[in-house]
Amino acid sequence: MLLFTLSVSILTGILFGLFPALQASRPDLNETLKEGGGKGTNIGGRSRLRNLLVVAEFALSLLLLIGAGLMARSFVRLMDVRPGFNPDHVLTMSMVLPRAKYKENEQAVAFYKQLVERVQALPGVLEGRPEPPHSQEPEANFRSISPGYFQTMEIPLIKGRAFTGQDTADANRVVIINETMARKFWPNEDPLGKRIRSVGPIEQNPWATIVGVAADIKRRLEGKPENEIYMPHAQVASRSMVLVARTENEPLNYVQSVRNEVQALDPNQPVFDIATLAQVRSRSVFLQRMAVTLLTVLAGVALILAAVGIYGVMAYSVAQRTHEIGIRMALGAQRRDVLKLVVGQGMMLALIGAVIGLIAAFAVTRLMTSLLFGVSATDPATFAGITLILSSVALLACYIPARRATRVDPMVALRYE
């Protein structure tokens, strides 16, 4: 990639340096004599080429900026999505109990039960609940949770009841489903009291009664809610769990305290994947954030190049037309007339570039549809806003050399070579 970039850079420098050099090596002597040794306007061919480059630069800059604007608005919309739980002030950490040490399910259940109780007793910890890593099933995602998990995550319970300490391995199997699953399988009836079970031998996967319906959560912010089945941890006895604890202050300040409670129960039990729930949420949009950042940087560079390009062309044009401007002012042209002349010329290039850029953006941004969230690929506000910003930059780039042109002394300009 570095070699490719270096090669393109060198080739660009050679190409755009060689072309004007070739033009200069083959001058039109008749045209040169007519110009009086350098006075007058630019040679038409060279001027058109410079104008063409500025128009192309402006159009490409507008295309890049619109793409960056769409991605930025999409990312903002994505971050505004409510995941179905409150990620603020929540500490998470993972642990896996070795089967060699915790051979019986009851041992795993007892360990996590005691850990939850100890973490809850820490000053500043509101709730502490274990939750397992998520496993994907054909019809639903299964989660085994301890009592109080919904309160810790602040997931509303729509109907029915939450799990309690009475939902043990010896009690009847119970589950809680989410709204999406309830609507899909029981669209016109109450799911409470219905029975479900997972695929497999009935001895290992007995029937469970639905006792509650929880609000939907999102596994991916840009995705739709999926079917979710929650089961009491005491009835599943998962050894691989994630502890979530809601705190009053900065969650990471409680890491050592929670780790100490784990060590108090088992000195050899490690914890890993320590992070706040907000950090976990932020990681889930890492690729989108990188794409927005990269595209914004590229668009910013394009904006600067477009401004420099227009400024350079207009400054060069003013320098070449100093004699002409002097004649105009000597014949009675006002400063505002000169200002209008120079700015008008530059803004005409910007207008042509904007039209071409908008047409290209309407065609190209449709390819970005799958990358956008909550924003149309032809969002009018983004297109209009970016065009206005880039046009304002172009106006400023034209105004500076135009302002300089209005300060030309006609007597000096008439002698200008």
Side-chain angles (χ1 to χ4, degrees), residues 112-131:
Y112 285 121
K113 184 175 183 298
Q114 293 178 60
L115 177 60
V116 167
E117 292 172 351
R118 298 177 74 99
V119 172
Q120 277 185 299
L122 291 174
V125 175
L126 307 180
E127 299 284 351
R129 297 290 180 261
E131 173 204 7

Side-chain angles (χ1 to χ4, degrees), residues 51-71:
N51 293 343
L52 179 62
L53 291 175
V54 170
V55 168
E57 194 172 40
F58 195 93
L60 289 174
S61 299
L62 183 61
L63 176 61
L64 258 178
L65 283 168
I66 288 177
L70 290 173
M71 290 292 289

